[in-house]
Amino acid sequence: MDLRRAINAISDVVQNRPRPLREFDQIHMKSGDMVFQSEIVADWADGKRLAFIGDGDAISVCVAYLHASEVLPFGPAHITVFDFDERTVNAVTRFAEAAGITNLDAQLYNVLDALPDFEQFDCFYTNPPWGASNNGESVNIFVERGIEACRHGGEGMIVIADDDELDWPKQVLASVQRRAAEKGYYVSKMQRKLHEYHLDDAPDLRSCNLYISALPGNQAPAHPSSAIDDPVRLEHFYGRSKEARVHYVLERHRVNYGKAHDDEYELKLFGDRP
């Protein structure tokens, strides 16, 4: 990989993604780690149909853009992003249109809703709310939707907190592995402490890539996908005392994220009074 071209491509994506909403546990991965994460994902999902269950980081766009720009010689055959933030959905579609990327699309979707019917995906990727206050239940819900997108087959890559000094990341990892096993998946690989984040209250907290794969012959249940409304599962969804009450984050107006907003500054002209 030509590192300079890769970094410049990631910079294009970062300039055009929405700023994070911390109340929904949106925390962006640092750009250097995004470069290497994008290469990992592109190689892992080479030639496959890949579903992103949420994507505030815009790794989906990075993967598609690096492949389309021939910075990487491999990448998914198609990527679809499912996200409840309309700003993210619109940013993905606008970037894809501007860059001429035809195998990248996005749709507005909340993981608490039943998953819509579509062509089966081969694998899924998710970097969900990390579940520090609900023992990983928020992670499990995102993972379950990814499993449904693959019709209980294929593989998943889950980005999740990883820290040797804290108890809760270990508890969440155990919870996610148990739930995956209940769904007919096993942990096939784990890449530890790969990513850093713009996280002011825990700057040293990192995340890992947890890979799960469907057991041979794993079958999707007969009943279709259904909405999730169990209050126990929704408690502390985005952190302590932050229940899942918002259906969608809607975009008020189109924002050019690469430029300063006009409400951030004012102009003082020559001759103006002090």
Side-chain angles (χ1 to χ4, degrees):
M1 180 172 62
D2 184 326
L3 190 57
R4 181 172 183 174
R5 288 184 63 204
I7 292 172
N8 286 341
I10 299 303
S11 178
D12 290 340
V13 175
V14 169
Q15 284 283 88
N16 288 278
R17 72 180 176 189
R19 290 186 288 188
L21 300 175
R22 186 61 189 275
E23 56 265 43
F24 301 115
D25 213 20
Q26 293 179 348
I27 304 165
H28 285 164
M29 188 182 292
K30 292 188 176 181
S31 297
D33 292 336
M34 290 178 65
V35 174
F36 294 105
Q37 180 73 348
S38 299
E39 182 181 26
I40 289 170
V41 174
D43 184 36
W44 169 69
D46 185 30
K48 299 177 181 178
R49 286 177 50 81
L50 172 60
F52 273 74
I53 311 301
D55 190 28
D57 287 322
I59 293 294
S60 61
V61 183
C62 295
V63 170
Y65 189 40
L66 289 172
H67 189 204
S69 303
E70 299 183 347
V71 177
L72 293 176
F74 43 75
H78 191 90
I79 299 173
T80 298
V81 178
F82 298 91
D83 203 291
F84 87 129
D85 190 337
E86 188 179 42
R87 302 174 310 146
T88 294
V89 171
N90 290 345
V92 170
T93 54
R94 285 195 291 257
F95 193 101
E97 181 179 352
I101 303 173
T102 59
N103 65 337
L104 171 66
D105 57 50
Q107 68 180 71
L108 194 64
Y109 168 72
N110 190 304
V111 293
L112 302 182
D113 292 331
L115 198 66
D117 192 25
F118 44 72
E119 186 178 347
Q120 180 177 346
F121 290 90
D122 302 305
C123 49
F124 74 89
Y125 176 103
T126 189
N127 187 345
W130 286 350
S133 301
N134 62 7
N135 196 36
E137 194 58 36
S138 51
V139 181
N140 288 330
I141 289 175
F142 276 76
V143 171
E144 287 171 21
R145 293 310 190 198
I147 289 173
E148 289 179 356
C150 298
R151 307 279 168 82
H152 288 246
E155 300 174 299
M157 186 189 299
I158 307 156
V159 181
I160 195 170
D162 186 13
D163 191 295
D164 290 332
E165 304 302 320
L166 299 174
D167 289 341
W168 70 263
K170 302 178 182 68
Q171 294 163 349
V172 170
L173 276 165
S175 174
V176 173
Q177 292 179 48
R178 282 195 300 268
R179 187 63 58 84
E182 292 170 1
K183 297 293 182 179
Y185 282 71
Y186 67 96
V187 174
S188 53
K189 184 167 62 171
M190 184 175 177
Q191 296 169 319
R192 299 202 62 196
K193 301 178 183 178
L194 286 184
H195 325 109
E196 295 183 12
Y197 293 82
H198 296 284
L199 187 57
D200 53 357
D201 56 349
D204 296 326
L205 183 60
R206 296 191 178 192
S207 62
C208 65
N209 289 333
L210 180 70
Y211 296 80
I212 61 173
S213 299
L215 289 166
N218 197 38
Q219 297 293 320
H223 57 80
S225 177
S226 59
I228 297 172
D229 55 10
D230 182 351
V232 174
R233 302 195 76 187
L234 304 185
E235 191 175 12
H236 309 305
F237 194 80
Y238 295 113
R240 186 163 300 280
S241 300
K242 294 180 180 179
E243 283 67 36
R245 297 172 178 170
V246 174
H247 196 190
Y248 298 125
V249 175
L250 299 180
E251 186 175 57
R252 284 185 173 177
H253 55 84
R254 179 171 175 172
V255 176
N256 187 336
Y257 297 105
K259 296 181 180 179
H261 299 178
D262 57 12
D263 61 356
E264 294 180 359
Y265 64 93
E266 62 177 305
L267 304 179
K268 181 176 175 58
L269 304 180
F270 286 110
D272 286 352
R273 293 181 179 179

